[in-house]
Amino acid sequence: VQLVESGGGLVQEGGSLRLSCRTSGFTFDDYSVTWFRQAPGREREAVSCINNSERSTYYAASVQGRFIISNNAAERTVYLHMNNLKPEDTAIYYCAADLRYRDGSTWHLANDYGYWGQGTQVTVSS
């Protein structure tokens, strides 16, 4: 199983970025994929999750209405569309995969995810 993130960078406040998590080594529809982020000195935070088969999604309150998670099964890729970015969104963003359906009470549990990417840096300047 391999997860590779890309799309991070430096953007001004109010700008947009699209992160990509390209996957391989497993049956795409069998997995859920979640984006986490971690800023220096802060705990890792679950950002958004998608169950690949039915495309049910979950969002942290801090990004609800600004971020959109989506997937493309043909490309085996999960995207995180980030709009109206704020300086507090600055962090390393990781995607993680789990061979279980995630629901509203479990999607944010980082210890449940067995596969992680290497991360991509997002920096939002004010």
Side-chain angles (χ1 to χ4, degrees), residues 83-120:
N83 302 305
N84 191 21
L85 283 161
K86 304 175 181 180
E88 51 264 42
D89 294 319
T90 295
I92 300 175
Y93 284 70
Y94 302 90
C95 61
D98 181 54
L99 184 57
R100 281 172 290 188
Y101 179 86
R102 313 307 297 184
D103 62 26
S105 64
T106 64
W107 72 274
H108 64 287
L109 300 175
N111 289 340
D112 282 2
Y113 292 82
Y115 306 102
W116 292 79
Q118 82 290 347
T120 185

Side-chain angles (χ1 to χ4, degrees), residues 9 14-15 18 20 30 39 47 53 61 63 74 81 83 86 90-91 93 98 106 117 123:
R18 187 185 75 166
S20 300
D30 287 348
V47 175
S53 58
V63 306
H81 307 260
N83 302 305
K86 304 175 181 180
T90 295
Y93 284 70
D98 181 54
T106 64
T123 303

Side-chain angles (χ1 to χ4, degrees), residues 32 57 75:
S32 60
T57 60
E75 297 178 353

Side-chain angles (χ1 to χ4, degrees), residues 2-3 8-9 21 23 29 32 36 41 45-46 50 53 58 65 67 73 80-81 83 94 121 126:
Q2 189 173 21
L3 307 171
C21 174
T23 71
D29 280 354
S32 60
F36 292 84
E45 175 188 18
I50 187 167
S53 58
Y58 305 96
F67 291 11
L80 185 67
H81 307 260
N83 302 305
Y94 302 90
Q121 176 72 47
S126 58

Side-chain angles (χ1 to χ4, degrees), residues 20-84:
S20 300
C21 174
R22 189 167 183 86
T23 71
S24 61
F26 60 86
T27 303
F28 189 75
D29 280 354
D30 287 348
Y31 278 71
S32 60
V33 175
T34 294
W35 286 95
F36 292 84
R37 65 186 181 187
Q38 188 162 22
R42 299 185 63 179
E43 292 188 358
R44 184 168 45 189
E45 175 188 18
V47 175
S48 183
C49 171
I50 187 167
N51 287 297
N52 280 336
S53 58
E54 63 175 51
R55 298 180 175 176
S56 53
T57 60
Y58 305 96
Y59 295 92
S62 58
V63 306
Q64 182 78 47
R66 299 189 297 124
F67 291 11
I68 299 173
I69 192 169
S70 66
N71 68 13
N72 184 317
E75 297 178 353
R76 300 183 56 87
T77 301
V78 173
Y79 298 99
L80 185 67
H81 307 260
M82 306 188 296
N83 302 305
N84 191 21

